[in-house]
Amino acid sequence: MTRASYDTVAADYARLLPDAHDGRPLDAAVMRAFAEMTEGLVADLGCGTGRITQHLHELGLTSFGIDLSDGMVDQARRAYPHLAFSQGDMNELDLQDNILGGAVVWYSTVHMPASEVPWEEFCRVLKPGGHLLHAFKLGDRKQHLPHAYGHDVDLEVYWHGIEETVANATAAGFGEVARLQRRRGVDEGGPQAFLLLGKRNPAAGSTS
């Protein structure tokens, strides 16, 4: 359902949401901080039409994107031909262990319950000491979305609690570096949250 819905809306999504942060300075500041702390290859997981992948590139990172929807990937390739995009499922990434210096999961878990976010998979592909930036809708509710971006769709939208999210990420091998919670914007349904996480380094821990 999620993949088919985004295939349907891809072209209008790209037209209606062309900018990385839509004039939200706090969101942009969190991503700048992530970029300054991150080295190496960076994956935009759930990249959509590639606007965040491009922004990461502009911030000096070697970035590429992966998305479930072929339609979204096609839009990303058209808009940013200098970057690499591929179709893939974040639950089972076609990436080697410990290959990424960083990863961004920017509102790409909104169609799954907090308990189903694949933190173990995110942790597997990150190098020890690598960083992950996660943005999500803050709260504890679920809503069916039958229409979006001018099309009929069939999507479930989830709000995640920040403490549950941190606990799940920690259990998978991450440590919390920083968090930001902000109030809703004029076009948002509620408050938003941003987590900066680091993959723990077992070798470093064992020598301390």
Side-chain angles (χ1 to χ4, degrees):
M1 298 285 186
T2 300
R3 182 175 181 178
S5 292
Y6 277 100
D7 284 345
T8 298
V9 306
D12 285 307
Y13 185 105
R15 177 178 59 83
L16 293 167
L17 297 175
D19 300 321
H21 297 299
D22 301 320
R24 297 183 173 100
L26 291 175
D27 303 24
V30 169
M31 192 162 288
R32 285 196 303 271
F34 165 82
E36 290 180 14
M37 299 173 67
T38 300
E39 297 179 354
L41 193 61
V42 175
D44 181 7
L45 302 177
C47 66
T49 56
R51 58 189 183 133
I52 296 298
T53 323
Q54 169 64 15
H55 187 60
L56 294 168
H57 172 73
E58 292 169 355
L59 290 172
L61 297 172
T62 303
S63 58
F64 68 99
I66 299 173
D67 198 86
L68 184 65
S69 163
D70 289 295
M72 299 294 260
V73 169
D74 287 344
Q75 292 294 323
R77 287 171 175 164
R78 290 191 184 100
Y80 311 110
H82 54 288
L83 298 176
F85 298 95
S86 60
Q87 190 278 331
D89 187 341
M90 69 172 61
N91 291 286
E92 192 173 351
L93 293 165
D94 186 19
L95 295 172
Q96 299 175 16
D97 295 355
N98 306 312
I99 194 171
L100 299 177
V104 172
V105 184
W106 197 260
Y107 292 104
S108 47
T109 64
V110 297
H111 303 303
M112 61 181 70
S115 61
E116 295 182 10
V117 175
W119 290 108
E120 291 82 3
E121 185 69 348
F122 297 159
C123 193
R124 178 185 69 79
V125 298
L126 269 178
K127 296 177 181 179
H131 291 96
L132 183 145
L133 177 60
H134 181 41
F136 55 100
K137 298 175 182 292
L138 181 61
D140 181 18
R141 62 189 177 102
K142 172 185 174 183
Q143 178 181 334
H144 180 69
L145 189 65
H147 193 81
Y149 310 109
H151 297 271
D152 292 332
V153 296
D154 187 7
L155 294 169
E156 302 297 334
V157 180
Y158 292 85
W159 284 251
H160 297 169
I162 196 163
E163 298 301 339
E164 180 182 6
T165 300
V166 170
N168 292 342
T170 300
F174 288 100
E176 181 181 350
V177 176
R179 69 173 72 182
L180 170 68
Q181 298 173 230
R182 66 163 174 80
R183 65 185 182 183
R184 60 176 292 182
V186 294
D187 58 345
E188 295 171 328
Q192 312 294 308
F194 308 86
L195 280 176
L196 182 59
L197 304 163
K199 180 176 176 177
R200 294 194 294 269
N201 189 336
S206 64
T207 58
S208 60

